[in-house]
Amino acid sequence: MVLQSSERHRPVWDHRRLGPWCSPTGSPAPLSCEAGCGEGSWILVCRLLVPTQVSLLSMEEDIDTRKINNSFLRDHSYATEADIISTVEFNHTGELLATGDKGGRVVIFQREQESKNQVHRRGEYNVYSTFQSHEPEFDYLKSLEIEEKINKIRWLPQQNAAYFLLSTNDKTVKLWKVSERDKRPEGYNLKDEEGRLRDPATITTLRVPVLRPMDLMVEATPRRVFANAHTYHINSISVNSDYETYMSADDLRINLWNFEITNQSFNIVDIKPANMEELTEVITAAEFHPHHCNTFVYSSSKGTIRLCDMRASALCDRHTKFFEEPEDPSNRSFFSEIISSISDVKFSHSGRYIMTRDYLTVKVWDLNMENRPIETYQVHDYLRSKLCSLYENDCIFDKFECVWNGSDSVIMTGSYNNFFRMFDRNTKRDVTLEASRENSKPRAILKPRKVCVGGKRRKDEISVDSLDFSKKILHTAWHPSENIIAVAATNNLYIFQDKVN
């Protein structure tokens, strides 16, 4: 049995192929229902599109990439498969927002600075830098195509004027430096102004080179390339709180890297059985604890979470804690093991809780209680009757992500029909909102949406049979300290802001 799948649209872990067993400081005040989940509390700040190849050419002609006319990026309506956004991530200050797409490109948006004349523009983001992070490759030994799609982006804390981020596709992780340059040296002795070497015989005087102002340029340069360490597809990367190491996880292994060493990594988790026919689960996501550099968690396709401590042993084949919720026998079905597979796992900012997302629910776990989650939120329980058709069109294998707000009081995750859901942990209220191009006027207030299941449908409701499963919100991000969210829908990036923010 081979884990690598040649079908690009189907995830590596496929029930039909593998058998029936698969499956801080400074944070804002807690978000009240009125401020976080209340009706009409969120407004659209702007809608951005990942630049296509055509717009990238126009960007190269404009030296100052921060002053690009973004009307073209927002208004053109065509998109290719390569333009679909595959990951979204705020940096630690929230001033920058990075997106990766299936074409291997990284687009960084920068927040507009507030001015006295245009106070409302404070929440807007415009293109800051665009660069090609990964290229398509071909493994000749395994006859395997390696896609250029960006699976994850993770920012490093800013230490100087430059920014650093990690980006990964299925096989290779790269460390990028993004820096600004607004001065250039002039007055070389051995080179002329065109950069060509001068004839030494013509050099009669010694000049001191000087720095001259120039139009601002944003440069992205690869500083490290971490390759050849994963046999299977990388599904997640996580930066450690010591900021010296990070880990990368694939379907069967998790590797620990040092930022300064690119030619070797340390394998800290290996669940590959001696006989691949005995394989019963795969790793789906992994993340470091936000404060303890020795602790991390990883989730599996069986719906379990393992907490590991690297101080216990070099190879963390024995977990410290094991989180699993017993299945209700009354809800047992053919699809139970598929929908229980965890697609995302996130530590809370405080480090006390773990949030997991499976196909139908979001669960919050307390690190001190392993037998069941302390909170369970139904994302789209109305799809339970549609699992058969979702299985046929492969939507049941979609991997939804989930995020915390800055104070860990509200959680957000995506759904179908370009819906995304917010759950207030304090009031237990929730809301369904839509990232729609039809309602993409700036400063427009979002109206809560409701899905009707059978019976009479009200005017403002949408029938579950009318949902568009080709429109899905898989990737979202929440500003680390403010009520600003980013929602990716195909090649559209929506920025929403709390109206009282």
Side-chain angles (χ1 to χ4, degrees):
M1 182 196 64
V2 180
L3 261 179
Q4 303 291 357
S5 172
S6 60
E7 299 173 300
R8 293 190 175 188
H9 70 282
R10 188 185 298 280
V12 173
W13 185 255
D14 189 328
H15 177 274
R16 286 176 284 188
R17 292 168 58 241
L18 298 181
W21 28 255
C22 92
S23 329
T25 305
S27 59
L31 218 56
S32 67
C33 185
E34 289 72 27
C37 292
E39 183 174 350
S41 62
W42 290 88
I43 59 177
L44 174 67
V45 176
C46 57
R47 179 175 67 91
L48 302 167
L49 279 80
V50 170
T52 62
Q53 296 290 354
V54 176
S55 62
L56 286 176
L57 295 177
S58 66
M59 290 173 63
E60 292 172 356
E61 296 172 359
D62 194 330
I63 298 177
D64 185 356
T65 57
R66 293 201 301 179
K67 300 187 182 300
I68 298 170
N69 181 3
N70 287 288
S71 61
F72 176 78
L73 302 181
R74 294 175 181 170
D75 296 337
H76 72 83
S77 58
Y78 58 88
T80 64
E81 180 76 12
D83 299 322
I84 297 176
I85 299 174
S86 55
T87 184
V88 183
E89 188 78 10
F90 280 102
N91 74 338
H92 288 73
T93 63
E95 293 301 305
L96 296 181
L97 174 64
T99 65
D101 62 29
K102 290 188 175 182
R105 292 166 296 177
V106 173
V107 180
I108 302 176
F109 300 92
Q110 185 181 48
R111 192 176 185 183
E112 284 286 331
Q113 297 301 314
E114 186 175 355
S115 64
K116 294 181 179 179
N117 299 329
Q118 295 177 314
V119 179
H120 68 277
R121 290 181 61 86
R122 172 60 178 153
E124 286 197 17
Y125 286 76
N126 288 318
V127 174
Y128 177 70
S129 177
T130 301
F131 58 92
Q132 188 73 29
S133 176
H134 288 74
E135 298 283 355
E137 302 175 38
F138 189 81
D139 188 334
Y140 294 95
L141 295 177
K142 299 180 180 179
S143 297
L144 181 71
E145 290 185 15
I146 303 175
E147 292 182 337
E148 65 273 33
K149 172 191 170 186
I150 305 298
N151 292 338
K152 294 291 180 181
I153 290 176
R154 290 292 181 264
W155 290 90
L156 275 68
Q158 188 176 5
Q159 304 293 335
N160 48 40
Y163 303 97
F164 289 86
L165 62 86
L166 288 171
S167 65
T168 183
N169 66 349
D170 286 339
K171 298 293 182 180
T172 305
V173 183
K174 295 184 179 182
L175 175 65
W176 290 88
K177 177 184 178 182
V178 181
S179 56
E180 298 180 356
R181 184 156 61 94
D182 58 1
K183 293 181 177 64
R184 62 183 175 191
E186 293 183 357
Y188 288 108
N189 291 283
L190 301 179
K191 295 181 180 179
D192 59 18
E193 300 304 325
E194 301 293 331
R196 294 170 296 193
L197 290 175
R198 299 170 58 186
D199 184 357
T202 63
I203 302 175
T204 58
T205 59
L206 180 65
R207 296 188 298 177
V208 178
V210 295
L211 293 176
R212 301 289 186 191
M214 59 175 286
D215 292 327
L216 179 67
M217 292 185 63
V218 181
E219 299 177 325
T221 54
R223 299 302 301 272
R224 303 281 191 277
V225 177
F226 307 89
N228 305 319
H230 285 277
T231 305
Y232 307 99
H233 294 169
I234 298 174
N235 54 50
S236 55
I237 52 177
S238 180
V239 179
N240 202 346
S241 58
D242 61 11
Y243 304 128
E244 294 182 357
T245 57
Y246 77 92
M247 69 178 175
S248 57
D250 65 24
D251 298 311
L252 298 179
R253 297 186 179 97
I254 300 177
N255 292 333
L256 181 68
W257 299 83
N258 188 293
F259 280 109
E260 301 300 323
I261 303 173
T262 60
N263 59 353
Q264 64 180 13
S265 61
F266 191 81
N267 181 225
I268 55 177
V269 172
D270 188 348
I271 66 170
K272 182 181 179 181
N275 182 4
M276 285 294 285
E277 295 297 328
E278 300 174 358
L279 181 67
T280 59
E281 62 181 333
V282 295
I283 299 169
T284 57
E287 186 176 65
F288 269 119
H289 191 281
H291 309 304
H292 304 313
C293 62
N294 55 282
T295 307
F296 68 93
V297 295
Y298 68 92
S299 58
S300 81
S301 55
K302 278 192 170 182
T304 61
I305 311 104
R306 291 172 174 84
L307 179 73
C308 299
D309 190 336
M310 292 190 292
R311 297 172 301 182
S313 62
L315 182 63
C316 300
D317 50 356
R318 294 184 180 180
H319 48 266
T320 303
K321 291 189 176 182
F322 183 76
F323 301 86
E324 183 179 23
E325 182 179 23
E327 183 182 4
D328 185 355
S330 62
N331 292 331
R332 179 75 181 176
S333 70
F334 173 79
F335 305 104
S336 295
E337 293 179 347
I338 306 177
I339 62 177
S340 66
S341 175
I342 295 175
S343 57
D344 195 17
V345 59
K346 295 280 176 63
F347 271 107
S348 63
H349 294 87
S350 65
R352 171 67 185 273
Y353 304 102
I354 303 172
M355 174 171 57
T356 60
R357 171 68 203 266
D358 56 42
Y359 190 69
L360 294 179
T361 66
V362 173
K363 297 175 181 178
V364 177
W365 303 76
D366 190 316
L367 287 184
N368 297 325
M369 188 168 71
E370 305 173 46
N371 59 338
R372 60 182 177 85
I374 59 172
E375 300 165 23
T376 300
Y377 301 98
Q378 299 294 334
V379 179
H380 38 217
D381 196 55
Y382 47 79
L383 295 181
R384 195 175 293 274
S385 61
K386 302 286 184 181
L387 293 179
C388 185
S389 58
L390 291 167
Y391 178 80
E392 292 300 325
N393 62 18
D394 282 348
C395 285
I396 200 170
F397 301 106
D398 287 333
K399 297 181 179 180
F400 293 94
E401 297 176 1
C402 53
V403 291
W404 301 88
N405 73 330
S407 61
D408 299 334
S409 60
V410 179
I411 58 182
M412 176 176 62
T413 190
S415 182
Y416 293 104
N417 208 72
N418 279 357
F419 289 167
F420 60 98
R421 305 268 282 140
M422 289 185 179
F423 303 93
D424 193 309
R425 299 180 60 206
N426 297 325
T427 63
K428 304 304 179 184
R429 293 183 61 179
D430 61 86
V431 66
T432 301
L433 302 173
E434 181 181 8
S436 171
R437 291 180 57 188
E438 287 71 24
N439 301 322
S440 59
K441 294 182 180 180
R443 321 308 296 179
I445 298 178
L446 291 184
K447 295 182 178 179
R449 302 300 305 270
K450 294 183 179 180
V451 178
C452 171
V453 183
K456 294 183 179 180
R457 181 171 61 89
R458 295 182 181 179
K459 183 179 180 180
D460 58 341
E461 293 181 339
I462 181 173
S463 171
V464 66
D465 297 320
S466 302
L467 295 177
D468 189 345
F469 294 107
S470 65
K471 296 179 179 179
K472 59 193 75 172
I473 303 297
L474 300 177
H475 314 289
T476 59
W478 201 306
H479 191 285
S481 60
E482 298 182 32
N483 289 334
I484 297 175
I485 59 176
V487 177
T490 58
N491 69 320
N492 294 267
L493 181 65
Y494 294 87
I495 309 293
F496 299 106
Q497 181 179 358
D498 183 3
K499 70 176 181 180
V500 298
N501 191 26

